[in-house]
Every structure is written in C-alpha cells, then in structure tokens.
Amino acid sequence: MVQYPQIDRTFAALADPTRRGVLEHLGRASATISELAGPFGISLTGMKKHLRLLEDTGLVTTEKVGRARRCSLGPRRLEDVHEWIELYRQMLDER
C-alpha cells in the first residue's frame, strides 16, 4: 500500500471544523491567538494546540509580535492533496 505521510497529516488537520474555521478566518486577515480563540469559545491553550497542528502541516505560520503571536496562512498550497484527489477522481471515472 502506498503511503502519503504529508497528505495524511493534512487531511487530519482539515478534519476538524475548528481548524477549518481558523483557515477561513486567516484567509480574510491575520489574527492573534486570542482573536482566533474568541469566536470558537475555546481556551487559548486549546487554540494553541489547533494552531500547532496547522503549523506542522505548513498551513499556518505564527510570528511573535510584541507580547502576542500573530497567525497567518502558511506557504503550503495543498498541491499534493489536489493531485491525490485528481488521481482518485480519475480512477473512479474509469470504473
């Protein structure tokens, strides 16, 4: 069986609705951890855990600005996930 460790981590990160919401928010504007945690009603510690997972996949970056951490969309563009989905779609079409 072929393994795709990066894709697996990405799908795991995207599987959570809070993390998808964070990506949607950051798609509009960068934000601090506090600004992200508020609308989701979770603690700063909880949001940091979500952000750490998103950072590990390259979907989010954080930067210390003064006493706060500013979060932005990361450099990862999901090309590998798109390619995998396209291959899978082609296999289904051939069936």
Side-chain angles (χ1 to χ4, degrees):
M1 180 161 102
V2 178
Q3 295 194 359
Y4 303 93
Q6 182 63 39
I7 292 174
D8 293 345
R9 285 192 301 273
T10 301
F11 278 128
L14 297 174
D16 185 87
T18 299
R19 290 189 287 269
R20 289 192 309 269
V22 166
L23 291 174
E24 288 175 26
H25 182 92
L26 294 177
R28 293 187 297 276
S30 64
T32 64
I33 295 174
S34 297
E35 292 168 343
L36 290 171
F40 294 101
I42 61 176
S43 67
L44 293 178
T45 302
M47 182 54 70
K48 286 178 188 178
K49 289 178 182 179
H50 285 294
L51 290 168
R52 191 172 314 121
L53 202 150
L54 290 168
E55 267 191 297
D56 289 346
T57 61
L59 296 171
V60 168
T61 60
T62 63
E63 173 186 20
K64 187 150 175 94
V65 179
R67 294 183 56 175
R69 291 204 72 77
R70 180 138 302 268
C71 308
S72 303
L73 287 180
R76 185 121 185 279
R77 300 291 183 244
L78 302 176
E79 287 89 358
D80 55 344
V81 173
H82 177 74
E83 289 173 18
W84 183 87
I85 290 171
E86 184 59 26
L87 285 172
Y88 191 74
R89 188 193 62 75
Q90 288 174 6
M91 286 189 306
L92 290 175
D93 288 347
E94 291 171 5
R95 291 176 87 196

XYZ file of all heavy atoms in Angstrom:
757
model
N 0.834 -1.165 0.000
C 0.000 0.000 0.000
C 0.894 1.249 0.000
O 1.828 1.353 0.777
C -0.898 -0.003 1.233
C -1.808 1.183 1.300
S -3.197 0.920 2.389
C -2.665 1.808 3.808
N 0.592 2.197 -0.859
C 1.346 3.440 -0.943
C 0.956 4.319 0.240
O -0.212 4.423 0.595
C 1.031 4.167 -2.266
C 1.775 5.485 -2.337
C 1.374 3.279 -3.451
N 1.959 4.940 0.842
C 1.681 5.816 1.976
C 1.998 7.256 1.610
O 2.936 7.528 0.866
C 2.489 5.376 3.184
C 2.077 4.005 3.658
C 2.615 3.708 5.032
O 3.307 4.512 5.634
N 2.294 2.548 5.536
N 1.203 8.156 2.130
C 1.334 9.577 1.870
C 1.361 10.311 3.216
O 0.358 10.876 3.629
C 0.149 10.087 1.052
C -0.062 9.390 -0.264
C -0.918 8.306 -0.379
C 0.591 9.846 -1.399
C -1.118 7.683 -1.602
C 0.390 9.230 -2.619
C -0.462 8.143 -2.714
O -0.654 7.541 -3.920
N 2.497 10.305 3.907
C 2.506 10.878 5.266
C 2.101 12.351 5.311
O 1.376 12.759 6.212
C 3.936 10.675 5.751
C 4.740 10.327 4.546
C 3.799 9.792 3.508
N 2.557 13.173 4.358
C 2.198 14.594 4.386
C 0.703 14.771 4.129
O 0.042 15.564 4.791
C 3.013 15.377 3.343
C 2.728 16.867 3.331
C 3.101 17.565 4.628
O 4.117 17.262 5.237
N 2.291 18.499 5.063
N 0.170 14.043 3.178
C -1.263 14.138 2.884
C -2.079 13.660 4.079
O -3.101 14.259 4.421
C -1.614 13.352 1.607
C -1.003 14.042 0.389
C -3.122 13.228 1.436
C -1.157 13.274 -0.906
N -1.626 12.590 4.737
C -2.334 12.087 5.919
C -2.409 13.164 7.000
O -3.465 13.380 7.598
C -1.640 10.844 6.481
C -1.733 9.645 5.553
O -2.563 9.660 4.613
O -0.961 8.691 5.759
N -1.288 13.839 7.241
C -1.274 14.903 8.256
C -2.184 16.059 7.849
O -2.887 16.645 8.675
C 0.151 15.406 8.488
C 1.009 14.459 9.297
C 2.311 15.098 9.749
N 3.139 15.563 8.660
C 4.036 14.814 8.014
N 4.209 13.567 8.357
N 4.759 15.335 7.037
N -2.188 16.375 6.569
C -3.031 17.469 6.082
C -4.502 17.125 6.241
O -5.288 17.946 6.731
C -2.709 17.790 4.612
O -1.330 18.144 4.516
C -3.561 18.944 4.111
N -4.896 15.925 5.825
C -6.297 15.534 5.988
C -6.689 15.500 7.464
O -7.806 15.894 7.823
C -6.575 14.178 5.336
C -6.821 14.255 3.855
C -6.114 13.457 2.988
C -7.764 15.125 3.333
C -6.333 13.520 1.619
C -7.996 15.197 1.966
C -7.280 14.386 1.109
N -5.792 15.054 8.322
C -6.079 15.045 9.761
C -6.288 16.472 10.264
O -7.197 16.734 11.056
C -4.943 14.357 10.528
N -5.460 17.400 9.791
C -5.608 18.797 10.198
C -6.923 19.380 9.697
O -7.604 20.115 10.412
C -4.441 19.624 9.675
N -7.301 19.047 8.474
C -8.530 19.594 7.885
C -9.797 18.891 8.374
O -10.900 19.384 8.130
C -8.453 19.507 6.352
C -7.346 20.327 5.697
C -7.292 20.032 4.213
C -7.546 21.804 5.958
N -9.646 17.779 9.057
C -10.813 17.015 9.512
C -11.581 17.723 10.636
O -12.758 17.445 10.850
C -10.373 15.631 9.993
N -10.928 18.622 11.325
C -11.552 19.284 12.468
C -12.220 20.598 12.035
O -11.575 21.439 11.401
C -10.489 19.575 13.522
C -11.101 20.148 14.780
O -11.508 19.368 15.636
O -11.176 21.388 14.869
N -13.497 20.800 12.391
C -14.183 22.027 11.971
C -13.573 23.308 12.549
O -13.606 24.351 11.895
C -15.623 21.835 12.460
C -15.592 20.709 13.414
C -14.376 19.899 13.119
N -12.998 23.232 13.741
C -12.354 24.413 14.310
C -11.158 24.814 13.462
O -10.968 25.994 13.149
C -11.919 24.156 15.768
O -13.073 23.853 16.546
C -11.206 25.369 16.353
N -10.342 23.847 13.080
C -9.168 24.162 12.267
C -9.563 24.685 10.887
O -8.933 25.609 10.364
C -8.254 22.944 12.164
C -7.572 22.640 13.506
C -6.509 21.597 13.400
N -6.992 20.255 13.213
C -7.258 19.403 14.186
N -7.090 19.752 15.453
N -7.686 18.191 13.914
N -10.625 24.126 10.305
C -11.101 24.668 9.022
C -11.592 26.097 9.209
O -11.346 26.971 8.376
C -12.209 23.786 8.443
C -11.700 22.442 7.942
C -12.738 21.702 7.125
N -14.037 21.575 7.767
C -14.407 20.557 8.547
N -13.554 19.566 8.788
N -15.613 20.512 9.070
N -12.251 26.368 10.317
C -12.708 27.724 10.615
C -11.551 28.693 10.788
O -11.614 29.841 10.339
N -10.491 28.230 11.433
C -9.290 29.067 11.598
C -8.721 29.422 10.226
O -8.377 30.577 9.959
C -8.234 28.347 12.470
C -6.877 29.031 12.381
C -8.698 28.276 13.920
N -8.637 28.437 9.337
C -8.108 28.706 7.993
C -8.994 29.694 7.240
O -8.492 30.584 6.554
C -7.970 27.401 7.207
C -6.888 26.446 7.711
C -6.959 25.127 6.945
C -5.519 27.065 7.609
N -10.306 29.558 7.386
C -11.215 30.514 6.742
C -10.990 31.925 7.284
O -10.934 32.892 6.523
C -12.663 30.094 6.951
C -13.058 28.876 6.155
C -14.466 28.408 6.471
O -15.305 29.232 6.898
O -14.724 27.207 6.300
N -10.865 32.032 8.599
C -10.629 33.341 9.223
C -9.312 33.942 8.730
O -9.259 35.114 8.364
C -10.611 33.199 10.748
C -10.424 34.501 11.453
N -11.482 35.274 11.870
C -9.302 35.178 11.799
C -11.012 36.370 12.446
N -9.684 36.331 12.420
N -8.258 33.127 8.726
C -6.952 33.627 8.312
C -6.907 33.920 6.817
O -6.060 34.695 6.365
C -5.851 32.644 8.703
C -5.651 32.462 10.211
C -4.584 31.408 10.478
C -5.312 33.779 10.886
N -7.806 33.343 6.056
C -7.903 33.663 4.633
C -8.384 35.088 4.411
O -8.108 35.692 3.371
N -9.080 35.623 5.397
C -9.559 37.010 5.305
C -8.544 37.992 5.887
O -8.374 39.088 5.370
C -10.900 37.138 6.020
C -12.032 36.385 5.332
C -13.384 36.658 5.962
N -13.496 36.222 7.348
C -13.802 34.988 7.740
N -14.009 34.053 6.841
N -13.904 34.697 9.008
N -7.900 37.608 7.003
C -6.952 38.513 7.664
C -6.147 37.732 8.698
O -6.629 36.748 9.255
C -7.694 39.650 8.363
N -4.930 38.203 8.963
C -4.140 37.589 10.031
C -4.804 37.920 11.370
O -5.613 38.852 11.468
C -2.701 38.077 9.982
O -2.643 39.460 10.234
N -4.462 37.170 12.401
C -5.095 37.371 13.709
C -4.176 36.852 14.806
O -3.317 36.005 14.567
C -6.428 36.638 13.759
N -4.390 37.349 16.000
C -3.672 36.820 17.157
C -4.386 35.554 17.623
O -5.527 35.275 17.241
C -3.643 37.836 18.313
O -4.994 38.051 18.764
C -3.000 39.152 17.892
N -3.720 34.819 18.481
C -4.326 33.601 19.027
C -5.590 33.950 19.793
O -6.604 33.258 19.682
C -3.315 32.843 19.902
C -2.157 32.345 19.026
C -3.980 31.681 20.629
C -1.011 31.707 19.783
N -5.578 35.039 20.554
C -6.769 35.466 21.306
C -7.922 35.795 20.370
O -9.072 35.433 20.641
C -6.452 36.694 22.164
O -5.481 36.391 23.116
N -7.628 36.482 19.278
C -8.674 36.833 18.315
C -9.266 35.591 17.666
O -10.456 35.561 17.347
C -8.110 37.762 17.232
C -7.748 39.134 17.757
C -6.922 39.953 16.773
O -6.345 39.392 15.819
O -6.846 41.184 16.984
N -8.455 34.562 17.481
C -8.961 33.319 16.897
C -9.762 32.510 17.902
O -10.785 31.915 17.551
C -7.799 32.473 16.369
C -7.085 33.008 15.143
C -5.828 32.190 14.863
C -8.008 33.011 13.941
N -9.329 32.472 19.161
C -9.987 31.641 20.171
C -11.379 32.158 20.518
O -12.296 31.369 20.737
C -9.124 31.567 21.432
N -11.541 33.478 20.543
C -12.808 34.079 20.964
C -14.041 33.541 20.243
O -14.957 33.015 20.884
N -14.114 33.633 18.923
C -15.315 33.195 18.213
C -15.605 31.699 18.361
O -16.747 31.275 18.222
C -15.024 33.530 16.749
C -13.928 34.523 16.765
C -13.159 34.283 18.025
N -14.583 30.910 18.649
C -14.783 29.466 18.780
C -15.115 29.059 20.206
O -15.450 27.905 20.472
C -13.542 28.708 18.289
C -13.304 28.870 16.820
C -12.348 29.744 16.346
C -14.058 28.157 15.902
C -12.135 29.906 14.994
C -13.854 28.311 14.545
C -12.892 29.181 14.085
N -15.000 30.006 21.134
C -15.330 29.721 22.526
C -14.417 28.686 23.158
O -14.861 27.894 23.979
N -13.144 28.698 22.759
C -12.205 27.753 23.355
C -11.088 28.529 24.042
O -10.879 29.716 23.798
C -11.622 26.763 22.321
C -10.842 27.488 21.230
C -12.712 25.917 21.707
C -10.162 26.548 20.248
N -10.370 27.838 24.909
C -9.289 28.480 25.665
C -8.107 28.779 24.751
O -7.985 28.223 23.651
C -8.833 27.553 26.798
O -8.203 26.401 26.255
N -7.235 29.646 25.221
C -6.009 29.941 24.474
C -5.167 28.679 24.309
O -4.587 28.447 23.247
C -5.201 31.031 25.175
C -5.832 32.423 25.196
C -4.940 33.388 25.974
C -6.066 32.927 23.796
N -5.118 27.867 25.359
C -4.358 26.612 25.285
C -4.936 25.696 24.213
O -4.195 25.090 23.437
C -4.354 25.905 26.654
O -3.786 26.792 27.623
C -3.563 24.616 26.608
N -6.253 25.603 24.158
C -6.901 24.782 23.134
C -6.609 25.297 21.738
O -6.315 24.518 20.821
N -6.668 26.610 21.561
C -6.386 27.182 20.241
C -4.929 26.975 19.867
O -4.621 26.696 18.702
C -6.745 28.671 20.219
C -6.515 29.327 18.870
S -7.325 28.516 17.458
C -9.032 28.894 17.785
N -4.022 27.074 20.841
C -2.610 26.842 20.549
C -2.377 25.423 20.032
O -1.562 25.203 19.137
C -1.754 27.086 21.795
C -1.595 28.548 22.150
C -0.788 28.695 23.421
C -0.771 30.124 23.897
N -0.041 30.287 25.166
N -3.101 24.457 20.576
C -2.974 23.070 20.109
C -3.435 22.944 18.662
O -2.787 22.272 17.852
C -3.763 22.128 21.016
C -3.148 21.959 22.384
C -3.973 21.053 23.263
C -3.357 20.940 24.634
N -4.141 20.076 25.532
N -4.548 23.579 18.337
C -5.032 23.559 16.950
C -4.011 24.220 16.022
O -3.700 23.700 14.941
C -6.378 24.286 16.835
C -7.532 23.519 17.360
N -7.976 22.347 16.791
C -8.366 23.764 18.399
C -9.035 21.897 17.452
N -9.284 22.742 18.446
N -3.484 25.360 16.447
C -2.527 26.087 15.619
C -1.223 25.320 15.438
O -0.624 25.340 14.355
C -2.250 27.472 16.201
C -3.420 28.446 16.085
C -3.181 29.678 16.931
C -3.655 28.824 14.633
N -0.795 24.622 16.467
C 0.432 23.830 16.365
C 0.288 22.762 15.281
O 1.188 22.555 14.459
C 0.759 23.176 17.705
C 2.151 22.568 17.752
C 2.544 22.079 19.141
N 2.238 23.064 20.168
C 1.430 22.832 21.211
N 0.859 21.661 21.378
N 1.210 23.762 22.108
N -0.867 22.113 15.235
C -1.097 21.101 14.215
C -1.121 21.732 12.820
O -0.538 21.201 11.873
C -2.418 20.377 14.497
C -2.532 18.999 13.873
C -3.403 18.117 14.730
C -3.062 19.060 12.469
N -1.772 22.877 12.695
C -1.815 23.569 11.405
C -0.431 24.056 10.996
O -0.083 24.026 9.812
C -2.812 24.736 11.460
C -4.285 24.338 11.535
C -5.149 25.547 11.882
C -4.737 23.700 10.233
N 0.357 24.485 11.963
C 1.733 24.907 11.670
C 2.580 23.729 11.202
O 3.383 23.863 10.275
C 2.389 25.528 12.906
C 2.252 27.011 13.001
C 3.145 27.586 14.087
O 2.947 27.260 15.267
O 4.034 28.379 13.725
N 2.408 22.577 11.847
C 3.182 21.392 11.476
C 2.921 20.962 10.034
O 3.790 20.365 9.406
C 2.876 20.225 12.418
C 3.445 20.438 13.813
O 4.296 21.335 13.992
O 3.028 19.710 14.731
N 1.746 21.261 9.510
C 1.430 20.906 8.128
C 1.792 22.020 7.154
O 1.674 21.846 5.944
C -0.072 20.588 7.971
O -0.840 21.736 8.312
C -0.485 19.405 8.819
N 2.215 23.179 7.665
C 2.583 24.299 6.803
C 1.400 25.137 6.356
O 1.548 26.030 5.526
N 0.220 24.879 6.926
C -0.972 25.632 6.533
C -1.062 26.978 7.231
O -1.742 27.884 6.752
C -2.235 24.808 6.798
C -2.355 23.521 5.979
C -3.529 22.687 6.477
C -2.485 23.830 4.510
N -0.383 27.116 8.370
C -0.429 28.350 9.158
C 0.991 28.668 9.623
O 1.789 27.761 9.889
C -1.369 28.183 10.382
C -1.220 29.313 11.367
C -2.812 28.063 9.931
N 1.283 29.939 9.722
C 2.536 30.383 10.345
C 2.185 31.322 11.488
O 1.144 31.988 11.457
C 3.453 31.125 9.350
O 2.773 32.272 8.860
C 3.866 30.238 8.199
N 3.030 31.337 12.499
C 2.846 32.288 13.594
C 4.144 33.064 13.771
O 5.231 32.565 13.487
C 2.470 31.596 14.919
O 3.525 30.740 15.321
C 1.174 30.820 14.791
N 3.972 34.290 14.240
C 5.118 35.175 14.440
C 4.877 35.970 15.712
O 3.787 36.495 15.924
C 5.237 36.111 13.238
C 6.272 37.179 13.374
C 6.244 38.156 12.202
O 5.223 38.248 11.500
O 7.249 38.840 12.029
N 5.892 36.050 16.541
C 5.773 36.826 17.778
C 5.879 38.306 17.434
O 6.831 38.748 16.803
C 6.855 36.422 18.762
C 6.670 37.055 20.106
C 7.222 36.158 21.173
C 7.156 36.827 22.509
N 5.987 36.512 23.269
N 4.844 39.051 17.814
C 4.808 40.496 17.603
C 4.510 41.120 18.962
O 3.387 41.068 19.451
C 3.720 40.898 16.573
C 3.688 42.408 16.402
C 3.947 40.205 15.246
N 5.545 41.680 19.578
C 5.377 42.199 20.934
C 5.098 41.058 21.886
O 5.844 40.088 21.937
N 3.964 41.147 22.598
C 3.601 40.098 23.551
C 2.640 39.081 22.955
O 2.280 38.114 23.614
C 2.973 40.746 24.779
C 3.978 41.589 25.548
C 3.383 42.168 26.773
N 2.842 41.102 27.611
C 2.339 41.272 28.806
N 2.311 42.470 29.325
N 1.867 40.266 29.495
N 2.220 39.296 21.741
C 1.228 38.407 21.118
C 1.862 37.603 19.992
O 2.939 37.928 19.499
C 0.068 39.242 20.570
N 1.191 36.539 19.598
C 1.587 35.764 18.427
C 0.570 36.032 17.332
O -0.619 35.831 17.513
C 1.631 34.276 18.742
C 2.774 33.946 19.680
C 3.229 32.518 19.593
N 3.952 32.159 18.396
C 5.227 32.448 18.134
N 5.913 33.154 18.988
N 5.800 32.050 17.040
N 1.051 36.518 16.191
C 0.188 36.804 15.042
C 0.225 35.601 14.119
O 1.289 35.091 13.776
C 0.663 38.064 14.315
C -0.218 38.375 13.144
C -0.557 39.828 12.965
N -1.212 40.537 14.030
C -2.533 40.664 14.157
N -3.341 40.071 13.332
N -3.034 41.393 15.116
N -0.946 35.146 13.716
C -1.095 33.972 12.867
C -1.512 34.404 11.465
O -2.312 35.324 11.306
C -2.169 33.051 13.433
S -1.916 32.633 15.171
N -0.976 33.711 10.468
C -1.303 33.968 9.067
C -1.364 32.644 8.334
O -0.868 31.623 8.829
C -0.219 34.826 8.407
O -0.032 36.024 9.098
N -1.932 32.672 7.136
C -1.891 31.479 6.308
C -0.445 31.155 5.985
O 0.365 32.050 5.759
C -2.671 31.680 5.006
C -4.193 31.687 5.127
C -4.813 31.887 3.748
C -4.714 30.408 5.757
N -0.134 29.882 5.953
C 1.229 29.449 5.690
C 1.526 29.336 4.202
O 0.666 29.611 3.357
N 2.725 28.895 3.892
C 3.158 28.816 2.499
C 2.602 27.617 1.733
O 2.645 27.584 0.514
C 4.682 28.702 2.627
C 4.889 28.027 3.941
C 3.778 28.542 4.822
N 2.064 26.643 2.447
C 1.614 25.410 1.808
C 0.348 25.671 1.008
O -0.591 26.281 1.484
C 1.341 24.363 2.890
C 0.985 23.048 2.341
C 1.955 21.971 2.812
N 1.597 20.742 2.138
C 0.624 19.963 2.528
N -0.038 20.210 3.609
N 0.327 18.890 1.827
N 0.298 25.194 -0.229
C -0.824 25.461 -1.125
C -1.668 24.234 -1.450
O -2.546 24.302 -2.277
C -0.310 26.076 -2.427
C 0.414 27.378 -2.246
C -0.550 28.481 -1.825
N 0.142 29.749 -1.721
C 0.272 30.405 -0.594
N -0.225 29.946 0.516
N 0.915 31.547 -0.566
N -1.388 23.092 -0.839
C -2.186 21.871 -0.982
C -2.120 21.238 -2.370
O -3.010 20.485 -2.745
C -3.648 22.122 -0.594
C -3.888 22.638 0.824
C -5.361 22.927 1.039
C -3.400 21.631 1.844
N -1.066 21.509 -3.127
C -0.955 20.903 -4.454
C -0.934 19.379 -4.380
O -1.556 18.714 -5.207
C 0.300 21.392 -5.195
C 0.221 22.805 -5.690
C 0.704 23.828 -4.665
O 1.068 23.455 -3.527
O 0.680 25.021 -5.000
N -0.227 18.813 -3.383
C -0.148 17.360 -3.279
C -1.513 16.745 -2.987
O -1.865 15.709 -3.533
C 0.880 16.933 -2.231
C 0.639 17.531 -0.851
O -0.132 18.508 -0.735
O 1.243 17.033 0.116
N -2.313 17.415 -2.168
C -3.656 16.930 -1.873
C -4.524 17.022 -3.126
O -5.259 16.083 -3.450
C -4.288 17.725 -0.705
C -5.739 17.346 -0.497
C -3.482 17.516 0.563
N -4.402 18.120 -3.836
C -5.168 18.291 -5.071
C -4.802 17.197 -6.085
O -5.683 16.610 -6.720
C -4.923 19.676 -5.660
C -5.613 19.906 -6.948
N -6.972 20.106 -7.034
C -5.149 19.919 -8.228
C -7.305 20.250 -8.308
N -6.220 20.135 -9.046
N -3.515 16.912 -6.238
C -3.071 15.868 -7.162
C -3.626 14.511 -6.764
O -4.074 13.740 -7.609
C -1.547 15.821 -7.225
C -0.923 16.996 -7.931
C 0.589 17.003 -7.821
O 1.184 15.951 -7.509
O 1.183 18.075 -8.040
N -3.604 14.185 -5.458
C -4.121 12.908 -4.986
C -5.620 12.802 -5.264
O -6.099 11.769 -5.736
C -3.851 12.734 -3.492
C -4.306 11.408 -2.992
C -3.599 10.245 -3.001
C -5.595 11.085 -2.450
N -4.366 9.218 -2.490
C -5.590 9.715 -2.149
C -6.739 11.829 -2.202
C -6.693 9.066 -1.590
C -7.840 11.196 -1.653
C -7.816 9.831 -1.349
N -6.360 13.853 -4.985
C -7.806 13.848 -5.232
C -8.083 13.685 -6.722
O -8.984 12.935 -7.118
C -8.463 15.127 -4.672
C -8.438 15.085 -3.141
C -9.894 15.294 -5.189
C -8.864 16.367 -2.469
N -7.311 14.347 -7.555
C -7.497 14.240 -9.003
C -7.210 12.819 -9.491
O -7.966 12.275 -10.313
C -6.603 15.247 -9.732
C -6.788 15.275 -11.224
C -8.216 15.612 -11.664
O -8.949 16.283 -10.917
O -8.593 15.180 -12.771
N -6.150 12.180 -8.996
C -5.867 10.791 -9.360
C -7.002 9.870 -8.927
O -7.415 8.977 -9.673
C -4.554 10.325 -8.732
C -3.282 10.855 -9.360
C -2.070 10.479 -8.508
C -3.121 10.308 -10.770
N -7.502 10.083 -7.727
C -8.588 9.263 -7.203
C -9.858 9.476 -8.034
O -10.553 8.529 -8.376
C -8.840 9.601 -5.733
C -9.763 8.633 -5.059
C -9.333 7.354 -4.725
C -11.074 8.987 -4.761
C -10.188 6.459 -4.106
C -11.927 8.099 -4.141
C -11.478 6.835 -3.817
O -12.318 5.954 -3.218
N -10.129 10.721 -8.411
C -11.287 11.026 -9.242
C -11.178 10.329 -10.590
O -12.138 9.756 -11.095
C -11.437 12.536 -9.440
C -12.743 12.942 -10.150
C -12.708 14.385 -10.613
N -11.674 14.649 -11.587
C -11.730 14.279 -12.878
N -12.743 13.603 -13.333
N -10.743 14.582 -13.695
N -9.979 10.328 -11.174
C -9.767 9.664 -12.457
C -9.997 8.165 -12.336
O -10.598 7.550 -13.228
C -8.362 9.948 -12.976
C -8.177 11.368 -13.452
C -6.728 11.667 -13.816
O -5.867 10.778 -13.823
N -6.439 12.928 -14.105
N -9.529 7.568 -11.250
C -9.759 6.125 -11.043
C -11.249 5.833 -10.969
O -11.736 4.858 -11.540
C -9.069 5.645 -9.763
C -7.584 5.536 -9.895
S -6.754 4.731 -8.481
C -7.319 5.693 -7.086
N -11.990 6.675 -10.251
C -13.433 6.469 -10.153
C -14.126 6.645 -11.496
O -15.035 5.889 -11.841
C -14.030 7.434 -9.123
C -13.668 7.167 -7.669
C -14.225 8.264 -6.785
C -14.193 5.813 -7.229
N -13.675 7.623 -12.276
C -14.257 7.829 -13.603
C -14.018 6.656 -14.526
O -14.869 6.319 -15.355
C -13.698 9.114 -14.242
C -14.223 10.383 -13.589
O -15.205 10.284 -12.806
O -13.652 11.455 -13.858
N -12.859 6.010 -14.382
C -12.527 4.848 -15.219
C -13.352 3.633 -14.851
O -13.511 2.733 -15.675
C -11.040 4.545 -15.133
C -10.170 5.594 -15.791
C -8.696 5.406 -15.510
O -8.324 4.397 -14.882
O -7.912 6.273 -15.904
N -13.859 3.574 -13.666
C -14.695 2.449 -13.227
C -15.999 2.542 -13.922
O -16.718 1.764 -14.289
C -14.908 2.467 -11.729
C -13.647 2.153 -10.980
C -13.836 2.274 -9.521
N -14.326 1.000 -9.006
C -14.874 0.836 -7.830
N -15.037 1.854 -7.049
N -15.256 -0.327 -7.410
